[in-house]
DNA sequence: GAAACGTGGCT
DNA sequence: TAGCCAAGTTT
């Protein structure tokens, strides 16, 4: 059965209580479960690990994080993507401190009311951190269920059916381990491509396996193709070699993050204009970056000047780099190639 | 329901 | 290389 497989094959993850200790009744720290779940949304374990270690070292408990400065948290999140998660992370930590006496609520319904916590995360925290029976459905679980039940309805239309299937399998005993087992199974055995059905603990009951359909499920509705956009990044350098950065608006793309001034990215450069009067020149350098829903080519214009009337901040390139989202980091690296082969992240 | 919202790794 | 994919949520 699945839990036996988990006891033998559970991945060792820094936010997880291993199965032997879980069987003995130990539970994971809700703060660490929550933080890991937010970081893991649409993000790989490999990408999350170093961020999780840095966050928990710097902010060991929810009240530490709640007391942090916004810009410090945003800088520490830089590079992980989906920055609304970081903004909601802070809102959530502060809500836990102010409205819940520094403790995460232990019910799925109450968790669902907190910023950044949706149906998946609420169920995951309720089951993993609090031992509640909750139906945890992420992309892994959807894939495992679609295969096990040979559900041929394409996603996302199949979601309700897959959740109903997942509900049938959710046990009262060790629901958190069950959820993690299903996700581990999806990540290591029932993988999107070339599933290792021979190594699967539930292969005998799998309808897709029986029908030879495993690798073809779940089916997905065709996705829209990505439009191309272009823009100009304006890089200002003062006599000390510092660069000029602005905090982006709270909402929208890269919201709350530092970045070089840019125009609105569209299908042409026609109405792009510099943020301030200066001797701008086209560096002829460009940066290419692909976002979730569009691809961007950024032309880099530069000026060596420190004009009056700007509201942003001037930072040494080395200090700024770690706080920048990746697309802005690419712009910086194009203009000021880093000394080291790789300067690993000195956010903060 | 659909679109917005990042990034890096793998094929 | 171009596309697919990863422990989703919000609007």
């Amino acid at each position: 059965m699945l839990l036996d497989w988990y006891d033998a094959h559970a991945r060792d993850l820094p936010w997880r209580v291993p199965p032997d200790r879980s069987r003995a009744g130990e539970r994971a720290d809700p703060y660490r479960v929550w933080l890991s779940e937010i970081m893991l949304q649409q993000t790989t374990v490999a990408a999350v690990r170093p961020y999780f270690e840095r966050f928990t070292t710097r902010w060991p408990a929810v009240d530490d994080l709640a007391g942090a400065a916004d810009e410090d948290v945003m800088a520490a999140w830089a590079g992980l993507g989906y920055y609304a998660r970081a903004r909601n992370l802070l809102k959530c930590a502060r809500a836990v401190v102010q409205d819940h006496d520094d403790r995460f609520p232990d019910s799925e319904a109450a968790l669902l009311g907190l910023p950044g916590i949706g149906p998946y995360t609420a169920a995951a925290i309720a089951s993993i951190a609090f031992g509640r029976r909750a139906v945890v459905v992420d992309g892994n679980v959807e894939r495992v269920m679609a295969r096990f039940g040979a559900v041929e309805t394409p996603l996302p239309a199949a979601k309700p059916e897959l959740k109903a299937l997942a509900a049938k399998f959710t046990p009262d005993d060790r629901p958190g381990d069950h959820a993690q087992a299903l996700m581990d199974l999806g990540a290591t055995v029932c993988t999107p491509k070339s599933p290792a059905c021979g190594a699967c603990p539930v292969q005998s009951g799998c309808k897709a396996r029986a029908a030879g359909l495993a690798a073809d499920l779940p089916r997905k509705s065709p996705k829209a193709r990505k439009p191309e956009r272009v823009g100009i990044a304006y890089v200002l350098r003062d006599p000390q070699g510092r660069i000029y950065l602005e905090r982006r608006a709270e909402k929208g793309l890269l919201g709350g993050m530092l970045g070089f001034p840019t125009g609105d990215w569209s299908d042409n450069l026609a109405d792009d204009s510099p943020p301030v009067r200066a001797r701008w020149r086209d560096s002829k350098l460009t940066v290419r970056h692909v976002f979730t829903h569009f691809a961007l080519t950024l032309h880099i214009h530069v000026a060596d000047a420190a004009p009056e009337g700007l509201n942003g901040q001037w930072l040494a390139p080395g200090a700024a780099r770690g706080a920048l989202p990746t697309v802005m980091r690419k712009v910086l690296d194009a203009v000021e190639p880093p000394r080291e082969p790789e300067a690993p992240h000195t956010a903060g």
Side-chain angles (χ1 to χ4, degrees), chain A residues 64-330:
Chain A
D64 299 315
L65 185 59
D70 291 34
E71 59 265 34
D72 289 344
V73 174
M74 298 312 287
W77 196 276
L80 241 202
Y82 283 139
Y83 299 99
R85 291 183 297 170
R87 303 194 299 273
N88 285 328
L89 190 79
L90 258 176
K91 285 185 197 164
C92 182
R94 289 167 181 165
V96 167
V97 166
Q98 286 166 28
D99 305 336
H100 299 276
D101 196 24
D102 288 15
R103 288 186 292 271
F104 280 86
D106 65 357
S107 76
E108 195 175 349
L111 287 161
L112 205 42
L114 291 166
I117 297 184
Y120 160 76
T121 305
I125 298 173
S127 65
I128 297 169
F130 297 113
R132 301 278 200 133
R133 183 186 182 279
V135 183
V136 179
V137 185
D138 73 334
N140 288 304
V141 177
E142 286 182 341
R143 183 171 58 257
V144 172
M145 292 303 143
R147 287 173 178 167
F148 194 80
V151 175
E152 297 208 49
T153 309
L155 285 167
K159 280 173 179 285
E161 186 178 354
L162 298 175
K163 178 157 189 175
L165 263 177
K168 285 206 306 185
F169 287 98
T170 305
D172 293 315
D173 182 46
R174 296 175 66 191
D177 283 350
H178 171 80
Q180 293 178 93
L182 229 32
M183 293 190 282
D184 275 17
L185 186 70
T188 64
V189 174
C190 195
T191 50
K193 284 166 276 189
S194 318
C197 296
C200 181
V202 296
Q203 55 179 287
S204 64
C206 181
K207 291 188 182 174
R209 159 92 156 147
L213 278 176
D216 299 324
L217 299 180
R219 305 207 192 279
K220 300 198 173 181
S221 302
K223 37 191 75 169
R225 63 168 283 283
K226 271 170 209 205
E228 286 285 339
R229 293 192 195 167
V230 294
I232 299 173
Y234 295 95
V235 179
L236 220 41
R237 280 178 295 205
D238 73 6
Q240 296 107 83
R242 297 180 305 177
I243 53 171
Y244 175 75
L245 298 169
E246 290 177 340
R247 179 84 49 195
R248 296 174 61 88
E250 279 296 305
K251 295 202 171 194
L253 194 72
L254 308 178
M257 299 300 291
L258 284 178
F260 296 101
T262 71
D264 290 328
W265 304 331
S266 61
D267 61 352
N268 66 77
L269 297 174
D271 41 32
D272 230 313
S273 67
V276 66
R277 184 170 171 75
R279 288 183 176 278
W280 291 103
R281 61 183 178 82
D282 184 348
S283 71
K284 303 296 184 187
L285 297 167
T286 63
V287 153
R288 172 86 178 163
H289 194 74
V290 181
F291 292 98
T292 308
H293 53 297
F294 67 94
L296 175 69
T297 301
L298 227 34
H299 296 252
I300 304 177
H301 289 205
V302 299
D304 291 303
E308 303 286 315
L310 292 171
N311 293 320
Q313 45 191 293
W314 294 88
L315 294 172
R321 190 173 186 279
L324 296 176
T326 298
V327 62
M328 297 297 173
R329 208 172 286 181
K330 287 182 182 176

